[in-house]
Amino acid sequence: MKRDPSQDPSQQLSHPDKRQKNQPSNLPDLLEWGNKHNSKLPFNLTSNRIPVATITTDATEPMVLEIPHNLILSKTNALKYESGKKLWNALENSGEYRDLGKDKDPFVKNVFGLGLFIIYEKFENESSHFGPYLWTLPSDIPLPLSWPPELVHRELRGTNLEHIVTERQKQLKKLYRIAKIACGHLFKKKGSLSLENIIWAYSVIASRAFPEKKVADSEDDRRNSGEENGSDGGDATEFMLGNPRNEECDVCLWPILDMLDHKPNHKVEWRTTKSGVSLVFQDPIQAGDTLYNNYGPKGNENFLSNYGFCLSPNTSDYVKLKLSSSLFSPSDESQEHEEMDTSIEEFTSLKFKLLESLGIEFTGTDGKSENRGSNSRIFMLFINDPVPAEFVVAMRILLLKKHEVAKTKEIYGIGNNEQEKYEVMQTDLFTKIVSKRNEVVTWMTLISLLEKKVSVIDYDVGSEDEELDLKVKFARIYRLGQLRILKDALQFCESHLCIYLTSLGLADPNEQSAGWSQMLEKAIFHIQSPKMIEILDILSEFDLDEDTLLSIGLCWYKSFGNTERLWKEFMENGRNVEASVVLGVEIKAVEEHYEDTIKPVLSYITDSDIETPTRIRIELLEACSLENFLWAASILDMNSISYGNIYGVLIL
């Protein structure tokens, strides 16, 4: 099953000088071993960089390849041998081994145990039942996991795969340490239990593994029709390390059958029966045809990390983005800790319940751990669907502010333990806008995240005309595919935000040249706005922070500046804002700030001899009452937004 583009697997051995004489090392002998155990293998195996299976007879009806259960390399079969019993007994006596997989990866124990058994059988057991298969496996499996660090950094820098490789290497180093302590005494030959062989065994399993108990819900689920969900094929119960549907299955290897190369859209069907494992070819086959497997619709990240190759083009390619509980737009950075404190903020509970109705979990039952539900926070940006609706809705929820949550609870009549109403609200978020601020900030945040992601992987690594090593070639196919999807997603978000801002009257619908940033500038009130510049001249001698200055400016606009269309609509919609509701317990601090800072400033500009234009002085004194200042602080809390280097209030 594993594609090895640079080595002949029939000739590669980790320790050639220690190869046992009684074990075959070529592909014909491997077939002889399989047929000796009543396998059905009507093909020849040859090697042309990778194993090639050529059918020997015509097949007008569906052709079936089969190996018996006793050839399957699994924990179940391993425990039938003394070496397997000793190995797993030693592992089970290790507390560190028993604790594996409790946090993120339920497969790690199975992969680790089977990997050690493979190493033992290949390097320690001269009479291993599985020797004929193990000795044909390539010693050089070109997964990024075993690439030189400088190659990984140069070709995969900033990609998800770079992170995956780094984390896997850390994990395998930990597993090697556990293995030496738990069962090192069982490995007698020098060099057999090594980090190199741990990585090799993991690579073998990652590129060839199947579930030991492959469950199919129906005949349609089992059959790879090539049409399901518009994909290019793949078993509906496809096995992949980390797939929660296979969480209860042990991993295993299906010798000989796993050597067939991948062909997209190829109609094949895997079956497990009482006698063994079968691979069924749906289409007629003629003698001399090459046999292919279909690994299923996978993205290049999966292909490269687990198989060592990429497809170009790949209609199933994707980019993974993971939501974090600390993910907020730039405008919310100052409120990050406040809004994400699940122990003191009621509105956060509603956010999490809404996300849970989407199937997204941020916390465990203790409200603390982020490990549980981690996979549910991964969104797939596909080549033909760069911004899935669920991703946008999740972002809308994450970016809700307190007043928006309060309004939402009122609209939907949400109290405690009303799951149905949460589900209705979550459904509405696919089609309804929470608020103008929330919608603008949602798309701005998506744009910002995508721009950052693009910036870290969009770099030049050499000429396109140069001859490339296959590893480098595949790495660039993968990275450029990621870049294309991200740029498509970025373009989609920018276009959507432009359309939305145009609908709010910030640009002429027929004016295509105005970008979203130009439109947004018209709707942000900040300290460089025309009237604020005049107010700043008056207050220049005072050490006032930006929020205070903006609040003073909002007071003035509420009283005197609401003649422009945007301001008029904004003030009309925000006139009845209740400071006690928006500010909550913070209202007392705002009142103290007014008494200690604002009143002395107002008194100073009134009593001093500073040459202040009479009109502005009178207007500021009239506008900056305590009531108006509390209102302005509430508006700032509700509608603050960061855009580039600008911090201000979104007046929509």
Side-chain angles (χ1 to χ4, degrees):
M1 189 173 184
K2 167 69 180 68
R3 192 186 271 218
D4 183 358
S6 60
Q7 302 292 332
D8 181 344
S10 68
Q11 302 299 324
Q12 298 302 312
L13 303 171
S14 290
H15 295 289
D17 56 319
K18 296 185 177 181
R19 179 178 148 221
Q20 289 79 17
K21 292 182 180 180
N22 63 330
Q23 302 192 339
S25 64
N26 58 64
L27 298 175
D29 286 347
L30 176 64
L31 282 177
E32 182 181 342
W33 172 71
N35 289 321
K36 177 182 176 182
H37 290 277
N38 299 317
S39 299
K40 296 178 182 178
L41 306 169
F43 58 84
N44 294 321
L45 269 179
T46 57
S47 180
N48 180 19
R49 294 193 307 168
I50 58 175
V52 176
T54 306
I55 190 68
T56 55
T57 58
D58 293 344
T60 56
E61 297 182 356
M63 189 183 70
V64 179
L65 309 182
E66 184 178 36
I67 61 170
H69 281 299
N70 70 328
L71 292 193
I72 295 175
L73 232 171
S74 65
K75 178 180 178 181
T76 300
N77 278 342
L79 291 176
K80 296 176 182 178
Y81 298 92
E82 192 64 27
S83 57
K85 293 177 183 177
K86 289 181 178 180
L87 182 63
W88 260 280
N89 183 59
L91 290 174
E92 292 296 345
N93 286 330
S94 166
E96 285 190 286
Y97 173 79
R98 292 194 301 270
D99 289 339
L100 288 175
K102 288 185 177 180
D103 48 3
K104 296 181 180 180
D105 186 356
F107 284 97
V108 64
K109 288 178 68 175
N110 298 336
V111 172
F112 183 38
L114 185 61
L116 288 174
F117 180 72
I118 290 172
I119 293 171
Y120 185 89
E121 291 299 288
K122 178 172 182 177
F123 297 112
E124 296 280 342
N125 189 355
E126 295 184 0
S127 58
S128 172
H129 169 67
F130 301 102
Y133 168 66
L134 295 176
W135 279 101
T136 60
L137 295 178
S139 60
D140 177 22
I141 302 177
L143 305 191
L145 183 64
S146 58
W147 291 2
E150 60 274 12
L151 179 61
V152 172
H153 180 71
R154 189 187 75 211
E155 300 294 339
L156 302 177
R157 186 170 71 252
T159 64
N160 293 336
L161 189 48
E162 181 190 34
H163 175 73
I164 291 170
V165 169
T166 301
E167 292 302 307
R168 282 183 181 174
Q169 288 173 339
K170 290 179 182 177
Q171 184 186 57
L172 292 176
K173 288 178 181 178
K174 174 184 176 181
L175 296 179
Y176 174 50
R177 178 182 58 79
I178 294 174
K180 287 194 297 182
I181 296 173
C183 55
H185 61 284
L186 298 176
F187 292 81
K188 307 296 185 182
K189 295 184 178 180
K190 184 178 180 181
S192 61
L193 182 58
S194 64
L195 178 59
E196 177 188 11
N197 283 342
I198 291 282
I199 294 174
W200 170 81
Y202 177 90
S203 299
V204 167
I205 295 171
S207 60
R208 298 170 180 265
F210 291 87
E212 185 174 11
K213 299 176 182 178
K214 192 168 178 57
V215 180
D217 298 327
S218 67
E219 184 72 13
D220 289 338
D221 277 346
R222 291 204 318 267
R223 182 165 288 110
N224 177 354
S225 66
E227 300 176 355
E228 182 173 331
N229 298 324
S231 73
D232 66 348
D235 197 295
T237 54
E238 171 192 359
F239 175 74
M240 188 171 66
L241 294 185
N243 184 347
R245 291 188 64 184
N246 296 306
E247 194 163 316
E248 300 303 319
C249 297
D250 283 340
V251 295
C252 64
L253 301 177
W254 295 346
I256 307 174
L257 299 184
D258 63 5
M259 291 188 172
L260 302 186
D261 198 7
H262 171 62
K263 185 177 182 180
N265 302 311
H266 195 47
K267 294 182 180 181
V268 299
E269 178 187 345
W270 287 98
R271 295 175 182 171
T272 54
T273 64
K274 291 182 179 180
S275 59
V277 176
S278 299
L279 176 60
V280 182
F281 295 86
Q282 302 295 331
D283 295 329
I285 300 175
Q286 296 181 343
D289 286 352
T290 299
L291 298 178
Y292 292 96
N293 188 8
N294 183 349
Y295 299 178
K298 292 177 170 64
N300 280 337
E301 186 166 288
N302 190 326
F303 277 134
L304 186 54
S305 64
N306 291 326
Y307 301 91
F309 70 94
C310 289
L311 297 181
S312 180
N314 184 353
T315 57
S316 298
D317 209 6
Y318 59 79
V319 173
K320 286 183 180 179
L321 291 182
K322 185 174 181 179
L323 287 179
S324 168
S325 62
S326 60
L327 182 59
F328 281 83
S329 72
S331 63
D332 289 326
E333 287 178 355
S334 62
Q335 302 178 33
E336 176 178 342
H337 299 294
E338 169 195 355
E339 293 198 345
M340 293 313 298
D341 189 341
T342 58
S343 65
I344 64 174
E345 291 291 354
E346 176 187 355
F347 86 105
T348 303
S349 175
L350 182 138
K351 282 189 182 184
F352 284 154
K353 288 179 180 178
L354 281 171
L355 290 167
E356 286 172 5
S357 71
L358 275 173
I360 303 168
E361 296 182 21
F362 275 91
T363 60
T365 55
D366 56 2
K368 297 178 181 179
S369 172
E370 278 205 9
N371 289 333
R372 302 179 187 180
S374 178
N375 287 336
S376 72
R377 290 183 273 121
I378 294 176
F379 289 85
M380 312 284 273
L381 279 57
F382 285 95
I383 193 167
N384 295 318
D385 183 19
V387 185
E390 292 83 358
F391 189 40
V392 178
V393 173
M395 194 66 70
R396 283 177 181 150
I397 294 171
L398 275 176
L399 295 170
L400 286 171
K401 285 202 170 188
K402 288 178 289 186
H403 71 285
E404 293 164 339
V405 170
K407 180 180 178 181
T408 300
K409 291 182 69 176
E410 180 181 347
I411 291 174
Y412 289 88
I414 292 176
N416 295 321
N417 302 319
E418 299 183 62
Q419 185 60 32
E420 289 185 6
K421 292 183 178 179
Y422 283 110
E423 292 175 358
V424 171
M425 178 182 170
Q426 170 261 307
T427 302
D428 284 352
L429 283 169
F430 278 91
T431 56
K432 297 180 180 179
I433 293 172
V434 176
S435 70
K436 295 175 182 177
R437 183 214 68 86
N438 179 266
E439 192 68 3
V440 169
V441 172
T442 292
W443 290 100
M444 281 180 58
T445 302
L446 289 170
I447 290 170
S448 176
L449 292 174
L450 290 168
E451 285 178 337
K452 290 178 181 177
K453 191 70 175 175
V454 166
S455 68
V456 297
I457 69 171
D458 190 7
Y459 54 86
D460 182 26
V461 289
S463 170
E464 295 182 1
D465 297 329
E466 64 180 313
E467 288 193 19
L468 302 177
D469 175 88
L470 279 174
K471 295 184 181 73
V472 175
K473 178 181 178 182
F474 290 140
R476 294 187 185 180
I477 290 173
Y478 160 69
R479 185 174 59 82
L480 293 176
Q482 299 281 288
L483 195 57
R484 174 188 169 187
I485 295 171
L486 288 169
K487 286 185 174 180
D488 285 349
L490 180 59
Q491 184 178 16
F492 177 90
C493 292
E494 290 176 333
S495 175
H496 190 96
L497 183 53
C498 279
I499 293 171
Y500 180 64
L501 293 175
T502 300
S503 73
L504 298 177
L506 295 176
D508 186 333
N510 298 319
E511 184 182 344
Q512 300 297 324
S513 59
W516 67 269
S517 58
Q518 292 174 285
M519 298 184 205
L520 199 57
E521 286 178 4
K522 302 176 183 179
I524 296 180
F525 172 64
H526 53 91
I527 59 174
Q528 295 301 319
S529 298
K531 181 53 64 174
M532 278 304 302
I533 293 176
E534 193 173 350
I535 293 173
L536 284 173
D537 286 342
I538 300 170
L539 304 175
S540 59
E541 291 192 12
F542 304 98
D543 187 19
L544 301 176
D545 62 78
E546 197 167 357
D547 281 354
T548 299
L549 291 169
L550 286 171
S551 296
I552 292 173
L554 286 170
C555 288
W556 183 90
Y557 266 93
K558 181 184 180 186
S559 302
F560 303 103
N562 57 356
T563 56
E564 301 172 19
R565 181 186 65 84
L566 281 178
W567 275 105
K568 190 173 183 179
E569 294 176 3
F570 179 69
M571 292 299 177
E572 186 64 29
N573 293 330
R575 191 167 295 280
N576 297 322
V577 168
E578 296 183 27
S580 59
V581 174
V582 177
L583 299 177
V585 295
E586 295 178 5
I587 192 169
K588 184 177 180 180
V590 178
E591 290 173 339
E592 291 176 354
H593 180 61
Y594 180 84
E595 292 293 330
D596 297 341
T597 304
I598 306 304
K599 285 184 70 173
V601 168
L602 295 174
S603 175
Y604 182 80
I605 65 173
T606 302
D607 299 336
S608 70
D609 295 330
I610 296 176
E611 294 183 5
T612 304
T614 302
R615 180 178 58 81
I616 295 296
R617 182 190 70 219
I618 294 174
E619 288 176 352
L620 284 177
L621 290 173
E622 183 179 337
C624 293
S625 64
L626 175 60
E627 179 183 356
N628 280 352
F629 192 79
L630 290 173
W631 170 88
S634 302
I635 291 295
L636 188 61
D637 184 74
M638 294 167 57
N639 277 55
S640 61
I641 185 172
S642 289
Y643 161 61
N645 295 323
I646 297 174
Y647 170 69
V649 178
L650 187 66
I651 51 171
L652 291 175

